[in-house]
Amino acid sequence: MDLIKTIEAQQMDDHSLNFRVGDTVKVHFEIIEGKTKRIQIFEGLVLCIKNEGVRKTFTVRKNSYGVGVERVFPVYSPRVIKVEIVRPGKVRRSKLYYIREKIGKDAKVKELIGQPAVEYLKWSRDLSKAAEAAEAAIKAEAKAENEAAAAASASKK
């Protein structure tokens, strides 16, 4: 039992959870399609944060062409590159499942404004600086792979 806890403690990152329920966020998620890697951005409202430890997940909901789309992301996944806060939300619940039934303006969450919002955004941006370095490394690696593939195909001709 202790072995599992030590492995989970090694995989946890203190800088991953820099947002709260009710925030509108952009999740930078690494997609691997065959040999190519790319970063896809999923922007929406954080409905809930579930579980504890390494198994912690968060659900993000967005409207895409009039249809609600929800996606569950693991907090400590190496594929989640960065979570960027677009708009801090002011909520009084830990789970916002009631948003699923709302339509139009009713589906919005109040925005956190004033000094608390400034302090919250500063705290969040400080935590996400490490994530930006990781994202830059992935982009550089993908660019190098593309250049190597282009050079290999040029040498074959």
Side-chain angles (χ1 to χ4, degrees):
M1 197 67 160
D2 292 330
L3 179 63
I4 293 172
K5 289 182 181 180
T6 56
I7 292 171
E8 287 180 352
Q10 290 172 355
Q11 293 177 353
M12 286 179 57
D13 181 18
D14 297 335
H15 307 299
S16 294
L17 197 63
N18 60 344
F19 56 91
R20 293 185 275 203
V21 173
D23 292 345
T24 302
V25 296
K26 285 184 181 179
V27 181
H28 296 253
F29 193 74
E30 182 182 27
I31 304 288
I32 300 172
E33 296 170 332
K35 294 181 180 178
T36 61
K37 291 182 184 179
R38 65 184 177 90
I39 295 175
Q40 185 177 31
I41 299 174
F42 191 89
E43 181 176 349
L45 178 70
V46 178
L47 288 184
C48 65
I49 299 174
K50 290 185 176 181
N51 302 329
E52 282 189 28
V54 177
R55 297 174 195 86
K56 187 176 280 195
T57 61
F58 63 100
T59 304
V60 180
R61 180 181 177 85
K62 74 174 183 177
N63 273 339
S64 180
Y65 299 103
V67 178
V69 178
E70 288 186 15
R71 188 157 179 194
V72 179
F73 295 98
V75 173
Y76 299 110
S77 171
R79 296 236 175 124
V80 175
I81 306 302
K82 169 172 86 167
V83 179
E84 178 183 338
I85 296 178
V86 176
R87 203 182 93 172
K90 182 180 179 183
V91 294
R92 295 173 64 176
R93 294 185 182 199
S94 62
K95 308 280 193 272
L96 302 179
Y97 296 136
Y98 68 92
I99 296 288
R100 292 173 177 164
E101 281 82 39
K102 302 290 183 180
I103 298 171
K105 282 187 175 180
D106 288 342
K108 290 189 176 181
V109 173
K110 287 185 181 179
E111 185 173 1
L112 185 66
I113 56 174
Q115 188 63 28
V118 171
E119 291 172 3
Y120 175 61
L121 288 174
K122 183 177 182 244
W123 166 77
S124 173
R125 288 190 180 118
D126 289 342
L127 288 178
S128 66
K129 286 182 182 176
E132 290 174 9
E135 183 179 18
I138 289 173
K139 286 183 180 179
E141 180 183 322
K143 185 177 178 183
E145 287 177 3
N146 290 341
E147 289 174 357
S153 65
S155 66
K156 289 181 181 179
K157 291 180 180 180

